[in-house]
Amino acid sequence: MNENLKIKKCTIAIDGYSACGKSTIAKQIAARFGWVYVDTGAMYRATTLHFLNEDVDLNSLQSVENALKHINISFRNVNGHNRTMLNGDDVEEQIRTIHVSNFVSEVSALSVVRSAMVAQQRRMGDGDLSIVMDGRDIGTVVFPDADIKFFITALPEVRAMRRFNELVEKGIPADLSTIASNLMHRDTIDSTREDSPLRQAEDAIVIDNSLLSNNEQMHIIYGHIENKCNIYGV
Ligand code: DC
């Protein structure tokens, strides 16, 4: 963090389609300003992993409610990297597999799951610390009064290629066409579900990063934040 920056408490909501680089953007904002970062997709993924491990019947409200009672999700910072913890276990790699990706949209469409996650996300934003949270409903549902809302988008083929490269870099086996169809499938479910579908908040700043380098997009994003959150060098 740059110690020369003076800031007020600021809440930043980042929403958008799958694999648009929301988490990468959110992590960079958090690192630059020393803010709390919450990856809400990881929370839905950890919940999905738990349901898969416990063979939870998604059609039984009682089973889902019961399973939710036994889930404790938190984040840990290990050497500057955000790690997702499920009931005390580090599940960061497991929640990124295509197996979890194939079920996560179905799980996150369940209202009972959403209300549990949203309640925890709001508690995370309650403190005095500035927070940057990324997901699908952050600007519309979790923090409708966020100081800044970004809606990130990119061409589907660019997104599929990025997710493919991400998995390969982590040594996770990947196939481009499987990834592309998973992204399309998730986008469709995420934006058509009844409860808090993915949509752009009316007051969101839209960023299409298909043709932008990381530096170019972060320059635009930092500009908005410094302006809105009264950040100034001293
Ligand atoms: O950001 P991600 O791809 O890791 O998210 C995984 C899934 O979780 C995504 O397909 C939809 C769901 N999700 C959601 O419904 N609401 C959020 N705030 C974040 C993620």
Side-chain angles (χ1 to χ4, degrees):
M1 179 196 177
N2 184 341
E3 295 297 335
N4 290 329
L5 297 174
K6 287 263 183 265
I7 40 198
K8 63 165 187 156
K9 177 181 173 180
C10 219
T11 303
I12 312 282
I14 302 183
D15 291 302
Y17 296 102
S18 299
C20 281
K22 301 182 298 294
S23 307
T24 311
I25 294 169
K27 278 181 208 159
Q28 291 178 91
I29 296 171
R32 180 177 171 94
F33 301 115
W35 293 351
V36 174
Y37 161 56
V38 178
D39 173 356
T40 63
M43 297 171 70
Y44 288 96
R45 286 172 179 274
T47 303
T48 303
L49 178 66
H50 180 79
F51 286 6
L52 287 169
N53 288 346
E54 300 297 317
D55 258 330
V56 174
D57 177 2
L58 298 185
N59 296 312
S60 156
L61 180 61
Q62 205 187 344
S63 308
V64 172
E65 278 177 336
N66 248 336
L68 281 170
K69 285 185 197 143
H70 297 103
I71 291 184
N72 180 9
I73 300 166
S74 59
F75 295 100
R76 213 171 60 167
N77 190 301
V78 179
N79 301 328
H81 295 284
N82 203 47
R83 311 285 305 178
T84 308
M85 308 296 293
L86 170 65
N87 296 335
D89 292 331
D90 184 329
V91 292
E92 187 55 35
E93 272 80 34
Q94 283 180 69
I95 62 168
R96 308 287 165 192
T97 58
I98 197 84
H99 185 49
V100 169
S101 297
N102 280 337
F103 287 93
V104 67
S105 284
E106 273 83 356
V107 170
S108 50
L110 301 171
S111 290
V112 62
V113 170
R114 301 207 69 80
S115 47
M117 296 297 125
V118 169
Q120 187 177 351
Q121 289 153 11
R122 288 189 178 143
R123 280 195 300 275
M124 290 166 158
D126 263 354
D128 294 335
L129 297 175
S130 290
I131 186 164
V132 49
M133 191 174 276
D134 80 285
R136 305 292 188 291
D137 59 343
I138 313 304
T140 50
V141 175
V142 181
F143 298 131
D145 297 326
D147 295 277
I148 311 185
K149 301 173 185 179
F150 291 108
F151 190 86
I152 315 294
T153 178
L155 291 170
E157 53 271 34
V158 173
R159 299 194 272 129
M161 194 47 137
R162 285 186 191 150
R163 187 49 60 92
F164 174 80
N165 288 336
E166 235 173 67
L167 292 172
V168 169
E169 269 168 33
K170 287 182 183 162
I172 300 171
D175 170 69
L176 189 57
S177 65
T178 312
I179 292 173
S181 49
N182 172 263
L183 291 183
M184 271 180 59
H185 174 69
R186 282 203 286 140
D187 285 347
T188 306
I189 298 182
D190 295 345
S191 44
T192 56
R193 68 180 172 225
E194 243 172 71
D195 190 339
S196 46
L198 165 65
R199 61 181 175 78
Q200 185 189 316
E202 274 175 23
D203 49 350
I205 297 163
V206 180
I207 300 199
D208 182 334
N209 62 20
S210 307
L211 299 174
L212 295 178
S213 69
N214 183 57
N215 279 350
E216 286 166 337
Q217 77 165 346
M218 293 317 293
H219 181 73
I220 298 169
I221 288 170
Y222 291 148
H224 285 291
I225 296 176
E226 286 164 13
N227 192 19
K228 199 73 196 259
C229 299
N230 298 337
I231 298 175
Y232 52 93
V234 289

